[in-house]
Amino acid sequence: MAELDGVFYKEIVEQGLREFPNEACGVIAAGPDGLPVHVFTATNIDMSSVTFRIDAEEQLRIEREIEERGWETWGYYHSHTHSEGYPSQTDRDRSRYVVAFYPDVRFLILSLEDRDAPVLRSFFLRDGEVTEEELTIT
Amino acid sequence: MSVQVKLPTILRKHAGGEPKVSAEGSTLRDVLDDLETRYPGITKNVRSDDGGLHRFINVYLNDEDVRYLGSLETEVGEGDTVSILPAVAGG
């Protein structure tokens, strides 16, 4: 089970609504105790409502800051603006590389299918298998 | 030219756990070839089957995405730093 502070949840939802109808994306960092401590909003260079890719140079800056602060990457998130919050085939295909580098990272998907009722879910994508974990917003 | 290559955690196992290693070359292609010679298997997930840069791998020269420089033909200079990260992408 994973826990995410409501402040971070709000930040992700606000970004998702701001960038709607395009997909929004970013990185959540955790402190030494494994709990989320910071949300890095990132630029979707695809500027698309159906795909995303974090701007490469921005990603390097984020990863470096995480390392310098002694944090860890807790998860990568993105929004689905017109579908449920479940990994698409594109998510599964494109995440293979991230998973090869970071086998334990989680992927969070924010569904904005109903913008009045956003839904955030968390998954692990290993060997092409989707495993959902319970996510509690605290 | 001798450059420093910063390795993501998962690739460090090929290099005895080192976070940063040296490699030689005048282009990024040479550097990756040299890296592979020194640490077999280390560039397996970095290059595609045709030897090019993998579409979903980001390689940086001094913090710049090499796709905007010259990809594998990007010239490197003495003391430059090469970094490697998997692209975070999906749909």
Side-chain angles (χ1 to χ4, degrees):
Chain A
M1 190 188 81
E3 288 190 356
L4 183 69
D5 193 300
V7 173
F8 301 136
Y9 169 75
K10 193 164 170 265
E11 217 173 313
I12 292 168
V13 170
E14 281 173 356
Q15 181 198 3
L17 293 172
R18 204 164 55 235
E19 297 184 20
F20 190 93
N22 288 345
E23 294 192 4
C25 54
V27 184
I28 305 171
D33 58 1
L35 293 174
V37 287
H38 192 81
V39 170
F40 292 91
T41 59
T43 305
N44 173 9
I45 52 156
D46 286 352
M47 288 189 286
S48 162
S49 60
V50 289
T51 65
F52 82 98
R53 179 172 180 146
I54 293 183
D55 177 272
E57 290 176 14
E58 221 171 286
Q59 187 190 337
L60 182 67
R61 287 195 295 273
I62 292 170
E63 303 262 353
R64 186 164 296 160
E65 186 171 340
I66 288 174
E67 196 177 332
E68 282 168 1
R69 289 177 182 265
W71 295 344
E72 284 186 6
T73 299
W74 188 76
Y76 296 108
Y77 68 87
H78 72 282
S79 61
H80 281 181
T81 51
H82 297 92
S83 59
E84 65 166 334
Y86 191 83
S88 62
Q89 190 57 49
T90 310
D91 287 329
R92 276 176 271 178
D93 292 344
R94 288 183 165 195
S95 65
R96 279 195 292 134
Y97 311 98
V98 173
V99 174
F101 281 72
Y102 308 118
D104 297 325
V105 79
R106 50 172 65 73
F107 296 85
L108 293 96
I109 302 179
L110 174 72
S111 173
L112 295 173
E113 197 174 17
D114 177 353
R115 276 184 279 171
D116 295 324
V119 179
L120 184 66
R121 293 165 71 182
S122 177
F123 304 89
F124 292 99
L125 305 174
R126 296 188 188 109
D127 306 319
E129 297 280 319
V130 177
T131 311
E132 181 163 11
E133 71 169 341
E134 195 183 330
L135 178 67
T136 307
I137 310 298
T138 59
Chain B
M1 306 288 175
S2 177
V3 303
Q4 294 288 305
V5 183
K6 285 191 74 178
L7 301 173
T9 317
I10 203 86
L11 296 185
R12 295 176 191 170
K13 65 180 181 217
H14 297 279
E18 292 295 324
K20 198 186 253 192
V21 296
S22 296
E24 302 278 335
S26 56
T27 63
L28 183 61
R29 183 186 299 277
D30 297 342
V31 168
L32 292 181
D33 285 347
D34 186 46
L35 203 59
E36 183 63 31
T37 306
R38 291 174 192 230
Y39 310 106
I42 201 164
T43 65
K44 183 175 158 279
N45 283 320
V46 177
R47 295 171 79 163
S48 52
D49 293 340
D50 63 6
L53 262 191
H54 205 288
R55 187 177 165 211
F56 290 108
I57 296 295
N58 298 330
V59 179
Y60 308 85
L61 180 68
N62 300 330
D63 300 357
E64 277 188 79
D65 184 348
V66 301
R67 281 192 180 79
Y68 299 113
L69 297 174
S71 205
L72 284 176
E73 307 316 320
T74 305
E75 291 184 5
V76 300
E78 184 68 28
D80 280 353
T81 301
V82 172
S83 309
I84 302 166
L85 286 179
V88 178

